[in-house]
Amino acid sequence: MTEPIRVLVADDQSLLRGSFRVLIDTAPGLTAVGEAGTGAEAVESAQRLCPDVVLMDIRMPRMDGIEATRRIAGSPETAGTRVLILTTFDLDEYVYGALRAGAAGFLLKDTSPEVLLAGIRTVAAGESLLAPSVTRRLIAEFARLPHTHHAPGSSLEELTEREREVLVLVARGLSNADIAEYLHLSNGTVKTYIGRLLSKLRARDRAQLVISAYESGLVSPRWPPSPHPGPRT
């Protein structure tokens, strides 16, 4: 039998932690292995329990969720642990910082139980939970930052023309299926290109590919992304 996905719940509100834990424990294929009420506890618990996924709040005492994410994602002890950030609409300014820290994706605290459970399974499978709506907010943050307007860096020099094209579409928030349709490729071929990009750019996941595209200057933050970029010319 397949081992259940092991989840650590980190939130400073005990009622929310308990609710998430009950939801996770009653879902097929998932199990809650622990709780943490502070960022420091989240880091310690992740190192001790080695969960597959940490459901991470941002605003917590004794170290916020972004710093806790940075420590979990950057430690060899928890290299296999994925962090799924819990956020609210008034915390959008933290999207960029959390992605840079190594978060695998975002969920809103008022999301439905079905979406929450699906999100946990998505990041546990090695994918990123980065919807176009989140990508738009990320782009807005890049547009605000003064250091985003520069020429492509050397990290992109080894990419082929097609790989750059795929990277641009990833940065615009398109799914693999959208990219396949736009470029007239199979889903398997797109997945292969994504894998090559992750390897060449030394990116942890899809979210960090988006950051690489904007930080390198390959994509400009001056235009909003669209899930349907229109016909190719």
Side-chain angles (χ1 to χ4, degrees):
M1 295 180 61
T2 303
E3 292 293 325
I5 297 170
R6 306 171 73 252
V7 184
L8 171 66
V9 180
D11 194 292
D12 64 340
Q13 299 182 44
S14 59
L15 181 59
L16 275 179
R17 289 200 309 273
S19 298
F20 287 137
R21 182 159 195 165
V22 169
L23 177 64
I24 291 167
D25 278 337
T26 55
L30 300 179
T31 183
V33 294
E35 300 179 18
T38 70
E41 288 179 3
V43 174
E44 186 278 328
S45 296
Q47 293 174 341
R48 176 169 49 84
L49 300 171
C50 295
D52 300 303
V53 177
V54 178
L55 205 56
M56 182 79 77
D57 188 20
I58 288 182
R59 289 182 175 175
M60 291 187 292
R62 292 182 55 215
M63 188 187 303
D64 63 26
I66 294 179
E67 178 59 27
T69 297
R70 181 176 295 109
R71 297 193 184 192
I72 292 170
S75 172
E77 298 176 81
T78 48
T81 297
R82 310 271 288 170
V83 178
L84 183 56
I85 295 288
L86 292 169
T87 185
T88 56
F89 283 116
D90 64 330
L91 291 177
D92 288 343
E93 66 269 22
Y94 293 107
V95 169
Y96 173 76
L99 286 175
R100 290 293 293 143
F106 292 83
L107 282 177
L108 298 177
K109 282 192 175 180
D110 61 356
T111 193
S112 68
E114 294 79 12
V115 172
L116 172 63
L117 297 174
I120 292 172
R121 293 187 175 100
T122 295
V123 299
E127 299 293 332
S128 292
L129 197 64
L130 193 61
S133 60
V134 175
T135 306
R136 281 192 287 272
R137 295 198 291 272
L138 178 60
I139 292 170
E141 180 69 6
F142 272 106
R144 187 183 68 81
L145 296 173
H147 65 270
T148 58
H149 307 293
H150 48 74
S154 59
S155 61
L156 301 185
E157 290 180 353
E158 62 180 296
L159 299 185
T160 65
E161 181 179 352
R162 178 64 89 185
E163 287 167 349
R164 284 174 178 248
E165 193 171 15
V166 172
L167 180 58
V168 167
L169 297 178
V170 169
R172 294 184 67 176
L174 274 68
S175 67
N176 283 9
D178 289 331
I179 295 173
E181 180 180 1
Y182 180 58
L183 296 179
H184 307 293
L185 301 172
S186 69
N187 286 336
T189 299
V190 171
K191 188 173 182 180
T192 297
Y193 277 120
I194 298 295
R196 290 177 185 172
L197 288 169
L198 291 170
S199 177
K200 288 184 177 182
L201 297 179
R202 297 178 178 85
R204 180 182 175 95
D205 50 36
R206 195 184 193 93
Q208 293 196 338
L209 288 181
V210 174
I211 290 175
S212 295
Y214 283 93
E215 287 195 332
S216 68
L218 179 65
V219 178
S220 168
R222 293 188 179 278
W223 46 263
S226 167
H228 300 288
R232 299 181 64 194
T233 58

